[in-house]
Amino acid sequence: PALAKHGGTHLEPEDYHQKMCEKDTVIIDVRNHYEANIGRFDPPEGGAKMIDPKMRKSTEFPLWLDRKETKEMLRGKNVLMYCTGGVRCEMASALLKQKIDKEEDTKELGIKGVFQLQGGVDKYFKQFPEGGLWKGKNYTFDKRFAHAPPALEAVERTKKVLGDDDDGVLDSSKPASTTQGKEKKVDDIPASAAQEIMGKCEACYKPWDMYRGKRRCPTCGVPSLICRDCFEADKAGTKKLGKDVRCDLCVTEDVRNKRELRDREGREMKKYEKKLQQKLDDDYEPPEPKPNPERITRLFLKNMCAKQMDESKLLELVRPARVTHIQWLIDRQTKKFYGSAFIEVKTAEDAGSVLAMDGMVVMGRKIKVKYQQADSKDIWPIPNTEVSSS
């Protein structure tokens, strides 16, 4: 979608913070689920509703947004979106705005507005160093892996003061240490902040929120959330991390092998593409045919995608023009199609509609089309070039 035309309204952290406290509002975390698993916004009671699309990768967002149950969650609501730095929600908000503008089933939902957090979680932390409405850690794609809001980075110092540094996390089942009935603090940060651990180790299920090592879910390939003890046990060979240790999303969805996940994703994508193609067919208006005073029915096409273009795709591309013959041009040395072809169409009007496609971007390439009258010495159409559907 065009970001300039369809992008959501940008809100500074202070305004976004206030918006999360309003009713009839939903917040979509457009990050991957393994990111949301260790930290996310936690709106107050009576405020916005948090939605995790549970994506393994960002390319799944259009499919999720197109689901009927997703649309019902957005009905009559203000929609807030956020991500780490603001880039992914630029695309996500633009896609939703575009659907509102162009698709009747989305338009009728009565969505009040689409907003995104300017600068993402990174900028929110700068404005709210103690976390604001954030809970847990923010996943990052650098060597830190994750970080807490700036003021809560003092949690590590809090752990040392409490003397609970055995495994790098506090036992969340124990109350924080107190002095004279008051909770201990370091730099005015409550010790209980160290206990706000959102994630769990995928092997032993104890609270854990640090992605470490190179292990990935054996089923879907997302980073594995494994605690230090389980990593060390696996390394020592006393407790191996087998294929049954999967990410929480694969466990919840009962996905047990790569093929099962691949087949399911393939079915969902095929269904989505079919619906998208139907909409494109419904909305498609062929360009105005070009003049053809000499009544030429032979055309030359070049700069087509040699790897993807074939007879069925070419016939689909030029319809409603009716093609009778195609001569694919082959490189003399490699004997492979290199993206150019001569075609014969049934009528001069068909030729005019094909010429109107000159300059159109198809499969990432700008195709060239021109009339090419056959020379009197040429044999045209060439034998054995008839299209199968002619």
Side-chain angles (χ1 to χ4, degrees), residues 148-172:
L152 296 186
E153 292 289 300
V155 164
E156 292 304 320
R157 296 193 295 274
T158 304
K159 290 178 183 178
K160 292 179 181 179
V161 171
L162 294 177
D164 193 345
D165 199 31
D166 292 335
D167 60 2
V169 295
L170 287 175
D171 185 346
S172 60

Side-chain angles (χ1 to χ4, degrees), residues 41-100:
F41 281 116
D42 185 26
E45 185 176 350
K49 177 184 177 182
M50 191 70 213
I51 300 176
D52 176 9
K54 299 187 183 301
M55 301 180 292
R56 292 176 173 85
K57 48 186 181 293
S58 298
T59 51
E60 296 174 5
F61 185 77
L63 283 76
W64 176 82
L65 190 60
D66 200 55
R67 293 174 184 163
K68 184 177 180 180
E69 56 269 29
T70 300
K71 293 176 181 178
E72 286 305 315
M73 288 191 287
L74 308 185
R75 184 179 293 277
K77 300 291 195 296
N78 278 308
V79 179
L80 306 182
M81 295 184 180
Y82 76 91
C83 59
T84 306
V87 177
R88 284 177 284 182
C89 50
E90 285 276 11
M91 298 297 296
S93 65
L95 178 60
L96 177 55
K97 287 288 293 295
Q98 179 177 274
K99 290 172 75 68
I100 293 172

Side-chain angles (χ1 to χ4, degrees), residues 195-223:
Q195 298 176 337
E196 289 192 338
I197 298 175
M198 305 289 287
K200 293 181 179 180
C201 172
E202 293 165 12
C204 69
Y205 306 111
K206 81 174 182 181
W208 191 259
D209 60 5
M210 293 187 290
Y211 286 97
R212 289 291 185 270
K214 296 181 179 180
R215 188 184 190 274
R216 291 181 172 269
C217 174
T219 303
C220 70
V222 302

